[in-house]
Amino acid sequence: MDPQQLLLLAVPAAFIAFGLGWLAARVDIKHLIEGSKALPRSYFRGLNFLLTEQPDRAIDSFIEAVQGDPDTIELHFTLGAMFRRRGETERAIRIHQSLLDRADLAQADRDRALLELGRDFLKAGMFDRAENAFETLRGSTVEAEALGDLLDIFEIEKEWVKAIDCARELEARSGAEMTRRIAHYHCELAQFALLQSRFDEAGREISAAFAALRQSVRAGLLAGELALAAGHVEAAIEAWAALGRQSPQHLALVADKLMAAYKQTGRADEGLRLLEGSLAQTPSYDVLLVVARETHATAGPDAAFALLLRELRRSPTLIGLEQLVQARFAQMPADLAAELDIVRTLLHQQTRRLSRYVCARCGFKARQHHWHCPGCRNWDSYAPRRAEELEISS
Ligand SMILES: [Zn+2]
């Protein structure tokens, strides 16, 4: 086909496309105009306030629109969500409550309104009323959402037994993968029992955590803690060494305790070799600290300094440099030590920030490692590594 023939075909095709678009636009505009006639004027005033960034006046206009036209159910939901997002929970509650008071509301809308009301209560910190709302929604059209919100309440209130039941129910109803969370709930119970020296109960919860999630790192850590607390040092070593093989990174969280356990059984050399082996494969600030301290104790300050220097070359971090300076500090003559102290102080100011743990989801920084982020309440969002180590590896 030559270019002229192509042009002859293309021109009518363009006209047809233009015509169809024009028709579609006319239909849409007509539909829009018909729809807009049904909407109260205050609705448009509200929109105008939103466009001119006057949200408070917009909200007042929308309230007026809702009062003027009781059929605007979607507008009720939009308004309620807007109030809640702005933290104006009292207004959101009033909006959703007014929906529920209407006798003509379809069941699906009634369920949705109660779910939203429950969320308003949750946001306002009225957990009992929120829980009641979500419990009422069992068997409803929004059951899965209500169970998810209920689970949030149990987590906030640290009601781990209820959380386990709720998570299992949610798993059955929606097919959501809950095994990781359930393992954590059992670990929370185990940790609490351990604190209270209820070792049998702690053991049962750890087993339940493993039953929920066979590879649970946290349950492995707790198994070592329990064994140590019950006086079974060898079993603690075994549990933590197994954990190190399964997840070398997490050894950082127990390196100190593992070394202490080895020393308690008179096998400090073996413990040091295990940690050195782990360090060679997986650089870790926490493991390095323990290895350097042990090397200092057994082979002297020069050996510890050489180790720190070697690791610093391999993985150059400020927190590592601080340890190196610290290691030299004790051996310095008084005049040099005074100068080095300035460097040490400056370094420490930086490393305080860099040695924190960071949530990968929300960026919340914490001095201690968390399994459950206090900021965004996600599980397993903290790597067992310090902020600077993460910055370097990324
Ligand atoms: Zn977070």
Side-chain angles (χ1 to χ4, degrees):
M1 200 177 285
D2 64 34
Q4 257 188 338
Q5 281 175 308
L6 266 177
L7 194 66
L8 280 172
L9 280 175
V11 170
F15 270 111
I16 290 165
F18 172 77
L20 283 174
W22 180 82
L23 193 65
R26 267 183 71 91
V27 169
D28 275 348
I29 287 166
K30 198 177 163 206
H31 179 76
L32 203 69
I33 290 170
E34 273 173 8
S36 71
K37 281 176 189 163
L39 288 169
R41 288 174 66 82
S42 47
Y43 176 78
F44 290 100
R45 267 209 311 279
L47 275 182
N48 192 38
F49 285 135
L50 269 189
L51 287 171
T52 53
E53 293 184 0
Q54 301 176 71
D56 282 323
R57 297 185 74 180
I59 286 169
D60 291 339
S61 288
F62 283 138
I63 286 181
E64 200 184 312
V66 168
Q67 284 163 348
D69 184 355
D71 290 330
T72 50
I73 288 171
E74 282 307 318
L75 192 56
H76 272 79
F77 282 122
T78 309
L79 266 179
M82 192 159 75
F83 284 138
R84 191 169 63 231
R85 220 174 17 250
R86 289 164 56 92
E88 295 175 60
T89 44
E90 262 182 50
R91 284 175 145 182
I93 289 168
R94 218 166 56 228
I95 293 268
H96 293 129
Q97 192 65 64
S98 74
L99 266 181
L100 285 167
D101 289 343
R102 282 170 56 169
D104 61 336
L105 202 66
Q107 190 55 47
D109 287 329
R110 185 168 294 281
D111 292 345
R112 198 174 146 205
L114 187 56
L115 180 72
E116 295 301 327
L117 184 66
R119 287 173 176 171
D120 299 337
F121 288 141
L122 183 56
K123 175 101 179 192
M126 293 186 259
F127 297 138
D128 285 352
R129 296 182 76 174
E131 194 176 328
N132 277 341
F134 298 139
E135 287 284 2
T136 312
L137 288 166
R138 282 179 189 275
S140 74
T141 51
V142 291
E143 183 179 36
E145 289 97 324
L147 284 173
D149 289 320
L150 209 48
L151 195 56
D152 282 346
I153 295 179
F154 295 147
E155 284 190 358
I156 294 168
E157 292 183 327
K158 299 188 187 301
E159 292 269 14
W160 306 117
V161 176
K162 283 185 180 179
I164 292 166
D165 291 342
C166 186
R168 291 216 182 281
E169 213 178 330
L170 187 59
E171 208 169 31
R173 297 280 183 279
S174 69
E177 173 62 64
M178 302 302 294
T179 48
R180 190 167 288 275
R181 279 220 222 178
I182 290 170
H184 273 300
Y185 300 154
H186 283 296
C187 286
E188 291 285 346
L189 287 167
Q191 209 164 326
F192 187 66
L194 249 175
L195 274 174
Q196 312 258 309
S197 299
R198 298 196 306 268
F199 299 147
D200 288 348
E201 188 185 330
R204 280 196 301 277
E205 293 300 341
I206 291 169
S207 300
F210 276 129
L213 184 70
R214 208 176 143 63
Q215 316 79 3
S216 170
V217 170
R218 188 179 180 187
L221 279 171
L222 283 169
E225 300 274 1
L226 172 63
L228 194 67
H232 308 304
V233 188
E234 289 290 351
I237 291 174
E238 209 173 294
W240 287 329
L243 171 88
R245 288 190 295 276
Q246 182 200 333
S247 176
Q249 280 198 357
H250 282 93
L251 201 62
L253 296 178
V254 283
D256 204 17
K257 289 178 185 169
L258 179 59
M259 192 63 228
Y262 267 115
K263 283 167 93 170
Q264 213 176 316
T265 57
R267 295 188 286 141
D269 287 354
E270 201 181 321
L272 186 58
R273 276 201 303 279
L274 184 139
L275 292 179
E276 280 172 340
S278 170
L279 192 62
Q281 287 186 342
T282 314
S284 157
Y285 168 72
D286 289 283
V287 177
L288 173 63
L289 264 192
V290 178
V291 172
R293 198 184 58 217
E294 209 46 40
T295 305
H296 186 281
T298 54
D302 286 341
F305 186 80
L307 165 79
L308 285 164
L309 193 61
R310 191 181 69 231
E311 286 301 317
L312 195 63
R313 283 189 177 128
R314 190 164 75 116
S315 177
T317 60
L318 278 184
I319 47 178
L321 181 64
E322 189 189 16
Q323 289 307 315
L324 193 79
V325 170
Q326 194 70 33
R328 266 293 180 250
F329 196 74
Q331 298 172 296
M332 288 275 164
D335 54 337
L336 276 178
E339 286 174 22
L340 198 64
D341 196 37
I342 300 168
V343 178
R344 195 171 68 150
T345 309
L346 281 173
L347 264 176
H348 187 64
Q349 281 169 7
Q350 291 302 313
T351 53
R352 264 200 338 214
R353 183 178 59 82
L354 294 168
S355 61
R356 296 208 171 146
Y357 293 97
V358 190
C359 171
R361 295 290 189 91
C362 72
F364 191 94
K365 289 186 178 172
R367 280 176 196 277
Q368 67 182 88
H369 174 269
H370 288 285
W371 297 100
H372 191 209
C373 177
C376 65
R377 294 195 282 118
N378 269 296
W379 292 93
D380 289 319
S381 55
Y382 280 83
R385 309 184 73 191
R386 310 292 177 145
E388 193 181 18
E389 293 179 282
L390 292 171
E391 274 173 29
I392 286 170
S393 64
S394 66

